[in-house]
Amino acid sequence: MNAIISAPELVNELAGSSPPVLLDVRWQLSMPTAGGAAPFDGRAEYTAGHLPGAVFVDLDRELASAAGPAGRHPLPDPEVFGAAMRRAGVSSGVPVVVYDGGQGWAAARAWWLLRWTGHPDVRVLDGGLPSWEGELDTDVRVPAEGDFTPVPGAVGLLDADGAAALARSGLLLDARAGERYRGEAEPVDRVGGHIPGAVSAPTNENVAADGRFLPADELTARFKTLGAADTTAVGVYCGSGVSGAHEVLALAVAGIPAALYVGSWSEWSGDAARPVAVGPDPQ
């Protein structure tokens, strides 16, 4: 099954006899500003215009639990996540397509959570909302409740100890920007740097200028250059388990299974007992 779907393909599927459920997961990391600018409001963006039939899903409230020692976007409580998915009309036997504002991170987080909890058919709209050429809708849809029941564990998940071990025994990719990996800048977390042994692999290098993923063969070549051999176990982390999900999605497009360390750097760096590496060298 493909992990992504193009806008023309989605148009065809929506016109078919078994259209997918559409989830709008617009979100972006909002940092405090000196001018006091209002934080990004995904629900307001959704209300202003969304794909026809799409239902809004709130990443911070429904795709994560409250920030704390486990990181800025820990796993959501399965009951909360399941209720949110059923409210959005998600059922186990109906395909799901997720999109966001174009960056792809939030959509990938929803994709990964649905895959991790056992949904068999989830895809991300490649390029997100900007790739859509049809009309947008402003009606707030209330779909019939779905029947999806999360069963966690269907795909790989890492904790901090597992990520540390994988950095030694396999390939642990750091999806953040290179300057954060090297410890030259850290705008969010307690300290800059990376997990010792992790390899820098910024997720923005997996996409073209329009936000669409590079062709599968190019992604495969990139990850093999980074060390993803056929027999190598692969894991990914980022700042808080959002952009890392996008890298796991890119790996899936390349045909490479990978586990996600959801706590990511926000959890790792919050524990002063965990070692921190800086500079371009993995160690």
Side-chain angles (χ1 to χ4, degrees), residues 4-281:
I4 57 175
I5 183 171
S6 70
E9 290 171 332
L10 180 56
V11 169
N12 290 336
E13 291 199 12
L14 289 172
S17 58
S18 300
V21 171
L22 290 178
L23 303 182
D24 183 313
V25 197
R26 272 178 276 181
W27 170 92
Q28 65 186 43
L29 180 64
S30 295
M31 301 293 294
T33 62
F40 179 83
D41 187 339
R43 189 176 294 277
E45 295 288 325
Y46 165 83
T47 302
H50 52 266
L51 268 61
V55 177
F56 180 73
V57 174
D58 190 314
L59 185 148
D60 287 317
R61 293 178 175 83
E62 297 171 325
L63 305 183
S65 55
R72 280 182 280 110
H73 290 105
L75 288 172
D77 180 279
E79 292 300 320
V80 172
F81 176 65
M85 293 299 98
R86 291 189 293 274
R87 174 193 59 79
V90 174
S91 292
S92 296
V94 180
V96 177
V97 172
V98 191
Y99 73 92
D100 59 23
Q103 188 178 42
W105 294 4
R109 171 76 175 213
W111 167 85
W112 183 86
L113 276 169
L114 280 164
R115 296 290 294 123
W116 180 65
T117 53
H119 198 288
D121 190 350
V122 191
R123 289 162 293 170
V124 169
L125 176 59
D126 194 19
L129 187 64
S131 71
W132 182 257
E133 297 182 354
E135 295 292 326
L136 297 181
D137 195 355
T138 56
D139 291 338
V140 178
R141 184 185 174 210
V142 180
E145 180 146 330
D147 64 13
F148 179 67
T149 299
V151 181
V155 296
L157 172 68
L158 296 171
D159 60 11
D161 289 339
L166 187 60
R168 297 188 298 269
S169 65
L171 176 65
L172 183 65
L173 298 175
D174 184 319
R176 299 171 301 157
E179 61 269 21
R180 293 184 70 189
Y181 171 88
R182 295 187 296 271
E184 298 166 356
E186 182 44 67
V188 188
D189 294 312
R190 184 183 67 84
V191 63
H194 58 268
I195 296 173
V199 174
S200 180
T203 196
N204 63 357
E205 295 180 15
N206 296 321
V207 297
D210 62 2
R212 292 179 173 89
F213 281 105
L214 299 175
D217 58 345
E218 292 184 26
L219 289 171
T220 301
R222 180 192 186 214
F223 291 123
K224 285 186 179 293
T225 299
L226 291 169
D230 293 339
T231 58
T232 303
V234 179
V236 180
Y237 76 95
C238 57
S240 66
V242 179
S243 66
H246 190 261
E247 185 123 294
V248 173
L249 176 58
L251 284 153
V253 173
I256 301 169
L260 178 64
Y261 172 25
V262 172
S264 284
W265 190 247
S266 58
E267 178 185 41
W268 184 279
S269 65
D271 182 350
R274 296 280 179 187
V276 171
V278 295
D281 188 274

